[in-house]
Amino acid sequence: MFPLDLAHIWAGLIAFAVLAYVVFDGFDLGIGILFPWLRDRRERHLAMNTIAPVWDGNETWLVLGGGGLLAVFPLAYAVVMPAVYPLIIIMLLGLIFRGVAFEFTFRTKRAQAFWEWGFAIGSLAAAIAQGLILGALVQGITVQDRAFAGGTWDWATPFSALCAVAVLIGYATLGAAWLRMKTDGATRVHATRILRLGLPALIAVIGAVSLATVWVRPEYMQRWFSGAGLVWSVIVPVLVVLAGGIAWTATRDNDRRVMWPFLGVLALFVLTFTGLGISFYPNIVPPGLTIVEAAAPDTSLRFLLVGAAVLIPTILAYTAYSYWVFRGVVDPDQGYH
């Protein structure tokens, strides 16, 4: 059982914000990653139009997760940021360049190809940086006297590179599932082909990262393969295969179950995120900085919780409303721009 104190409530809220960012922004980053593989300009612009109403709102969760981490776990923020500064800068530059490219693509004819490539490169850079950050966190950050004590290039390891590949494949697969759900005709058929290539690759890379993770640090091995952890080491892989199988089977049905592949890939993201939580707990920064140690004083956590009680439902409400308003298949002749 998890203790129900303010530090753990906030850990749950930050984890929720990060997961929401990954699943919401993951598919629109995936659209950018898939850009070079889309057939022509019309298909590329249609793909952009499927995410145009929601892509900037999706990044709200990144602001909430990063800002929340600074406010409620300042020690974790102070330790993690110096460990991955170059990657954070690359990620933010990629997201900014991508956002600018998104708007400029539809406002220029002469430089349209440049901004289309800018959209793809910005998406690719942000996804790679996020994967490397994930790898750096999982392999652990050196902390001494409550401060970062590692080197500038500690994150540059084969394990981090493997995580970056996994995030790239994951986002691309999620993007293909989104594109399949939001289009029809030849674009849906093309997205389905990409999705059927991406799903087995995603399952394989999830397995590779999971096996590598338990060898990265001995405590992960102990957590997954001793005591109650043995149960999770059976349940989580079975659920991963089941979610992947449902998504794969549903790609054969073009009409009735068009949402199922997208939901199946989302389930894979939730399961891998859950596995990450099992590996990390009770730490917020492996290998030794716990949730309780990194938390701000209870008075601050209590005060901020009042704001979160208003802010998070508001974000959820306008997110749900925007997805409801722009639901359904996108008409290629009536683009958002």
Side-chain angles (χ1 to χ4, degrees):
M1 287 291 291
F2 299 99
L4 193 62
D5 55 30
L6 286 169
H8 283 83
I9 290 172
W10 265 110
L13 292 176
I14 296 295
F16 174 74
V18 173
L19 177 62
Y21 169 74
V22 169
V23 298
F24 281 117
D25 210 34
F27 68 78
D28 64 54
L29 284 169
I31 292 292
I33 294 166
L34 291 176
F35 234 51
W37 285 273
L38 299 182
R39 293 175 303 167
D40 51 31
R41 176 160 287 165
R42 179 180 169 84
E43 190 167 272
R44 288 194 291 273
H45 288 188
L46 175 60
M48 289 182 87
N49 279 325
T50 65
I51 59 172
V54 295
W55 74 270
D56 44 0
N58 291 340
E59 293 181 358
T60 306
W61 296 104
L62 179 63
V63 177
L64 182 64
L69 186 69
L70 170 63
V72 299
F73 295 107
L75 181 57
Y77 189 89
V79 166
V80 171
M81 289 300 284
V84 292
Y85 264 140
L87 302 176
I88 294 289
I89 292 169
I90 291 170
M91 180 187 75
L92 293 178
L93 287 176
L95 291 175
I96 292 169
F97 191 52
R98 176 176 180 273
V100 173
F102 201 107
E103 301 299 331
F104 281 22
T105 295
F106 292 95
R107 296 297 177 191
T108 178
K109 295 297 180 188
R110 191 171 54 182
Q112 198 166 55
F114 171 80
W115 290 113
E116 287 174 351
W117 275 104
F119 180 67
I121 292 169
S123 303
L124 196 66
I128 291 173
Q130 288 175 15
L132 291 171
I133 292 169
L134 173 64
L137 273 175
V138 173
Q139 69 190 14
I141 292 175
T142 306
V143 179
Q144 191 171 7
D145 298 330
R146 296 169 63 85
F148 172 61
T152 306
W153 302 99
D154 284 0
W155 53 268
T157 63
F159 177 75
S160 293
L162 177 63
C163 290
V165 171
V167 169
L168 269 181
I169 293 174
Y171 283 172
T173 305
L174 194 56
W178 171 264
L179 192 59
R180 181 183 186 276
M181 184 175 67
K182 297 293 289 184
T183 60
D184 56 12
T187 302
R188 177 178 288 181
V189 172
H190 188 208
T192 302
R193 287 198 196 106
I194 298 173
L195 179 59
R196 290 173 72 85
L197 289 173
L199 273 170
L202 180 57
I203 299 289
V205 82
I206 287 173
V209 171
S210 301
L211 289 174
T213 296
V214 296
W215 291 102
V216 164
R217 303 204 67 87
E219 54 266 37
Y220 296 153
M221 176 77 81
Q222 187 178 9
R223 201 156 293 153
W224 281 95
F225 294 103
S226 65
L230 275 171
V231 178
W232 291 111
S233 66
V234 173
I235 291 175
V236 174
V238 169
L239 290 177
V240 165
V241 172
L242 187 63
I246 290 172
W248 174 270
T249 304
T251 60
R252 297 173 182 169
D253 190 335
N254 268 335
D255 298 316
R256 288 179 302 168
R257 296 187 295 169
V258 71
M259 284 184 64
W260 281 87
F262 183 71
L263 296 176
V265 182
L266 279 185
L268 290 175
F269 272 80
V270 173
L271 286 167
T272 51
F273 195 79
T274 303
L276 200 62
I278 293 171
S279 297
F280 276 27
Y281 188 80
N283 297 317
I284 190 169
V285 180
L289 184 59
T290 67
I291 292 169
V292 173
E293 289 171 341
D298 276 0
T299 48
S300 300
L301 298 181
R302 193 174 297 113
F303 175 76
L304 290 165
L305 196 58
V306 176
V310 176
L311 185 63
I312 292 177
T314 303
I315 297 173
L316 286 171
Y318 76 65
T319 300
Y321 182 69
S322 62
Y323 277 83
W324 172 256
V325 168
F326 293 100
R327 68 189 182 278
V329 172
V330 174
D331 185 342
D333 297 320
Q334 295 182 355
Y336 178 78
H337 282 84

